[in-house]
Amino acid sequence: QVHRIHESNVPQLQQLPTFLKDELAYEVYKPVLCFHPFLRCVLKIDKLCIASICHTAMSQKSVMPMQDVFRAGDECVAMYFIVAGEMAYVPGITNRPRCSYQTPTVGPGNWACECILLMTWKHRGLMGTMQTPCELTLLNAGMFLGVLASWPAIRDFCRCYAVLFASEAPSGLTDLPISVEEAK
């Protein structure tokens, strides 16, 4: 079984000085953010920007077995990183199918909903856990954009990436990650 202790489960962490809480957030979230190639590039450009994202825009979420994380048509507010467990994705539906059939899965080291960092996004399918719990790290899109307001060079880099992403992305985008091969 997957069970992780989150910051909210340790009240003593709130008593730490701000600089230590920020450093702890960086150590916890930086490796997760670096799953994504674009965010790895941001780290190479400006480590302090990533540190700011880590302590401002990141959170953790545990999802119990057979629970939905999001459904088609819901407004997307965050990019999801899968830290532990596995989730199934069924494009174009809002409710779990009654019978099981082969669906794409997303596991540790992967992400979903990267589009929300670049554009307004509504979910295009149903994502939920399977028979085991799942641990997620969320990057809140609104807070991410708020951080970028203080980092003009990174904001411009994100703008360029968004233009490239929109022009090179395959038609029929889903909530799943886009592989380099699909983008060509």
Side-chain angles (χ1 to χ4, degrees):
Q1 289 252 344
V2 177
H3 179 71
R4 301 196 183 236
I5 296 174
H6 297 175
E7 181 181 350
S8 60
N9 300 120
V10 186
Q12 294 83 353
L13 290 177
Q14 295 307 313
Q15 297 171 6
L16 291 174
T18 302
F19 80 93
L20 279 179
K21 287 191 281 189
D22 292 351
E23 196 169 312
L24 183 59
Y26 179 78
E27 293 300 324
V28 169
Y29 295 125
K30 182 194 72 138
V32 176
L33 283 174
C34 288
F35 289 166
H36 195 278
F38 168 70
L39 294 167
R40 244 189 337 265
C41 288
V42 172
L43 176 67
K44 288 178 183 177
I45 295 169
D46 198 324
K47 177 183 169 186
L48 292 176
C49 179
I50 288 292
S52 185
I53 291 167
C54 288
H55 66 78
T56 304
M58 304 296 293
S59 63
Q60 299 168 314
K61 181 177 182 173
S62 295
V63 186
M64 299 311 296
M66 304 306 291
Q67 296 293 309
D68 297 340
V69 175
F70 57 77
R71 298 171 180 203
D74 291 348
E75 284 291 326
C76 184
V77 295
M79 181 176 177
Y80 299 83
F81 294 88
I82 294 76
V83 176
E86 191 172 59
M87 300 202 309
Y89 181 78
V90 185
I93 69 167
T94 57
N95 296 313
R96 281 183 182 263
R98 291 183 185 235
C99 60
S100 70
Y101 58 91
Q102 193 66 19
T103 61
T105 59
V106 183
N110 282 297
W111 58 85
C113 307
E114 64 193 311
C115 295
I116 190 59
L117 301 182
L118 309 171
M119 61 187 83
T120 303
W121 186 254
K122 283 192 180 208
H123 292 294
R124 308 275 172 99
L126 175 99
M127 172 113 24
T129 55
M130 300 189 312
Q131 302 298 322
T132 59
C134 193
E135 286 292 323
L136 304 175
T137 295
L138 282 65
L139 171 51
N140 180 288
M143 292 178 176
F144 173 79
L145 294 174
V147 169
L148 292 185
S150 300
W151 305 91
I154 300 297
R155 185 184 58 233
D156 292 344
F157 177 68
C158 290
R159 236 182 238 133
C160 291
Y161 179 76
V163 168
L164 181 64
F165 182 91
S167 68
E168 298 292 323
S171 60
L173 283 175
T174 70
D175 298 289
L176 295 178
I178 297 173
S179 70
V180 173
E181 294 76 32
E182 286 177 299
K184 292 182 177 178

